[in-house]
Amino acid sequence: MKLPKFSVGVGDRFAHQAKAQLQACILAERAGAEVVPVWNKSNREHMIIGSEPSTTRTKADEAVRELGWTKPYFVDADHINLATFERFVQPCDFFTIDVADNIGKKFDEAEIAKFVERHPELIGEIAIPHVDQPFQTDRAFVEKVAKQFLAAVQEAGRIYRAVAEKKGHEDFVAEVSMDETDDPQTPVELLIILAAIADEKVPIQTIAPKFTGRFNKGVDYVGDVDQFRKEFREDLATIAYAVDRYDLPKALKLSVHSGSDKYSIYAPIREALAEFNAGVHLKTAGTTWLEELIGLAEAGGEALVLAKEVYAQAYDHAEELCAPYATVIDIQPARLPKPEEVNAWTSEQFVNALRHEGDLPEYNPDFRQLLHVGFKIAAKMGKRYTDALEQNEEVVGRNVTRNLYERHIRPIFVP
């Protein structure tokens, strides 16, 4: 199973937006870009909402059938590990193997020594085509990187083989994710990681490293854009080199996690993809949930009241909601409006505070990030929330499609 060159990870936490999301890919196709959808939902999100991976598959299949989509599409077992993968085996054909928690964990000195001995080519000067300066390493550096990442890569191998054994075949897309950690992986570290992945014989088609800068949920990139441009370009060059050197899958490409709303780096990504004729997987999961809230607020009436209630409860439970996402959010509590203030807002004020578009003076990134992690509040509302989505399907869907196409797909992929 081959993942096409361009793909977009879409989250549908409450299983109501598959058609609206697919419509964005249809608009891209009409504009001359094939961007295939990958519906992703993590075990944590399923547990919070009380849903099953089979529902994600059912909704994706229904959207594809109803809208006549004939291109590939996938359902992602997002951020799985050995403890959580089994419930995803039947309905999923894309597996994001998350080994970030294994980075820097206990390592076997003998395994480190064997790795270094297998890869003398990683020591010294490594000239990568299209990278201005060769990588310079020594044995101590390679050992240090191996000590940091080899245990994580070996865990990825165990998870991959466990999935393949349960599915009874290896015909699925595998991604290795290392992004939810504190320190970025440099291009030379990525090369060493890819050598280790090749040793494990995991035929990954995407890899999600931690890039320089902050990739906070639902808001723009925070960091040096020029540094990101250089790093992203060198990562693409490194992958192309590693594919040839280590016989990795030809389709291997970078995956940008927490990729939604990173408007300031979309131009550098687009430029680098064109230069290298490379693919990318852009993961935009949580932005759809925010567009649901925007749609409800825009609808006004009881739907606006419900959106305000979600915020009020999120505000009261902010510490609990933020804890699992500490590495990918940056909220300044002093900049959060009080619920009493929000309750007095008009529909337009709520929408403008939440909508991440242009230079709206009311836009509040702290408000947006808190609501991004606040889907647990809507989950507790249950049918009351999903009924509101159904009652306001047109306005919610319009916002979901427009956000995904105009703000995410078009800037990177459309000619």
Side-chain angles (χ1 to χ4, degrees):
M1 186 171 291
K2 183 179 178 182
L3 184 66
K5 185 176 181 180
F6 298 138
S7 52
V8 59
V10 290
D12 189 12
R13 288 175 180 171
F14 295 94
H16 278 66
Q17 307 309 325
K19 286 194 290 186
Q21 292 165 328
L22 184 57
Q23 185 62 43
C25 295
I26 291 171
L27 291 175
E29 184 181 25
R30 290 173 182 167
E34 180 181 316
V35 184
V36 304
V38 179
W39 278 277
N40 50 257
K41 192 169 178 180
S42 69
N43 189 67
R44 176 169 61 191
E45 289 161 358
H46 279 296
M47 294 297 288
I48 288 171
I49 291 167
S51 56
E52 290 293 333
S54 57
T55 303
T56 307
R57 164 60 67 184
T58 298
K59 293 297 183 179
D61 289 347
E62 287 176 356
V64 165
R65 183 170 59 252
E66 290 181 30
L67 296 184
W69 179 256
T70 59
K71 304 292 185 181
Y73 67 101
F74 302 84
V75 175
D76 179 10
D78 191 18
H79 288 290
I80 52 105
N81 54 41
L82 283 175
T84 61
F85 80 91
E86 291 198 41
R87 68 191 303 213
F88 295 91
V89 167
Q90 192 278 327
C92 294
D93 48 16
F94 187 119
F95 289 79
T96 298
I97 300 169
D98 187 347
V99 292
D101 287 345
N102 298 87
I103 294 173
K105 296 296 186 185
K106 183 179 178 181
F107 52 84
D108 185 322
E109 289 283 2
E111 289 295 318
I112 300 298
K114 289 178 185 176
F115 175 80
V116 176
E117 290 301 322
R118 277 196 305 273
H119 293 288
E121 78 285 355
L122 293 173
I123 299 172
E125 182 174 286
I126 308 169
I128 305 289
H130 307 292
V131 173
D132 294 338
Q133 298 293 326
F135 298 153
Q136 300 287 345
T137 71
D138 55 24
R139 185 182 184 91
F141 176 81
V142 176
E143 287 178 347
K144 178 184 176 183
V145 175
K147 288 176 181 178
Q148 184 75 357
F149 296 105
L150 191 57
V153 171
Q154 290 175 339
E155 181 69 2
R158 284 188 286 271
I159 296 169
Y160 176 83
R161 290 185 287 274
V163 172
E165 182 179 357
K166 287 288 184 179
K167 286 190 78 70
H169 59 78
E170 298 185 33
D171 193 19
F172 55 89
V173 173
E175 170 175 292
V176 169
S177 166
M178 296 185 171
D179 66 300
E180 292 194 1
T181 186
D182 293 329
D183 298 319
Q185 293 106 43
T186 64
V188 66
E189 289 174 334
L190 178 62
L191 177 61
I192 296 169
I193 290 166
L194 290 173
I197 290 172
D199 286 350
E200 285 291 314
K201 296 182 169 47
V202 179
I204 61 168
Q205 294 191 47
T206 79
I207 185 164
K210 167 79 170 177
F211 296 102
T212 297
R214 293 282 296 183
F215 282 72
N216 293 328
K217 296 283 189 181
V219 294
D220 205 350
Y221 174 76
V222 179
D224 184 333
V225 173
D226 287 336
Q227 173 61 27
F228 173 83
R229 177 183 285 107
K230 178 178 183 294
E231 182 180 301
F232 190 84
R233 184 181 177 281
E234 291 186 357
D235 280 347
L236 291 180
T238 298
I239 286 175
Y241 175 86
V243 164
D244 289 338
R245 181 67 180 78
Y246 299 114
D247 196 28
L248 289 162
K250 300 294 184 186
L252 177 58
K253 59 187 181 179
L254 280 173
S255 183
V256 182
H257 282 201
S258 295
S260 64
D261 302 88
K262 304 302 179 288
Y263 305 145
S264 61
I265 61 171
Y266 287 172
I269 290 174
R270 182 187 181 105
E271 293 161 8
L273 296 178
E275 178 184 356
F276 287 90
N277 191 25
V280 74
H281 179 61
L282 182 75
K283 197 169 181 183
T284 69
T287 194
T288 286
W289 141 247
L290 292 175
E291 292 303 316
E292 287 183 342
L293 283 182
I294 286 170
L296 293 177
E298 195 174 273
E302 287 301 312
L304 173 61
V305 171
L306 186 147
K308 290 177 177 179
E309 185 178 329
V310 170
Y311 176 71
Q313 292 191 39
Y315 184 92
D316 289 342
H317 297 88
E319 186 174 346
E320 168 197 339
L321 294 171
C322 292
Y325 300 93
T327 62
V328 284
I329 56 172
D330 186 12
I331 296 172
Q332 299 299 314
R335 296 203 292 254
L336 290 171
K338 297 286 194 297
E340 310 84 72
E341 177 187 347
V342 173
N343 286 339
W345 283 355
T346 64
S347 172
E348 183 179 16
Q349 286 175 302
F350 192 103
V351 167
N352 289 349
L354 184 55
R355 179 176 279 156
H356 190 190
E357 180 179 26
D359 298 316
L360 293 172
E362 302 96 329
Y363 170 61
N364 184 328
D366 300 276
F367 178 76
R368 183 173 171 88
Q369 286 181 90
L370 179 57
L371 281 171
H372 194 290
V373 300
F375 68 94
K376 187 175 184 178
I377 304 301
K380 289 181 177 177
M381 292 177 172
K383 195 170 184 297
R384 181 180 166 216
Y385 179 75
T386 54
D387 282 351
L389 293 180
E390 291 165 12
Q391 291 160 10
N392 299 279
E393 179 180 1
E394 191 277 330
V395 64
V396 170
R398 182 177 69 244
N399 278 283
V400 169
T401 299
R402 181 172 179 269
N403 173 62
L404 187 56
Y405 177 69
E406 294 288 349
R407 301 187 196 117
H408 295 87
I409 292 176
R410 188 174 181 180
I412 295 177
F413 302 112
V414 174

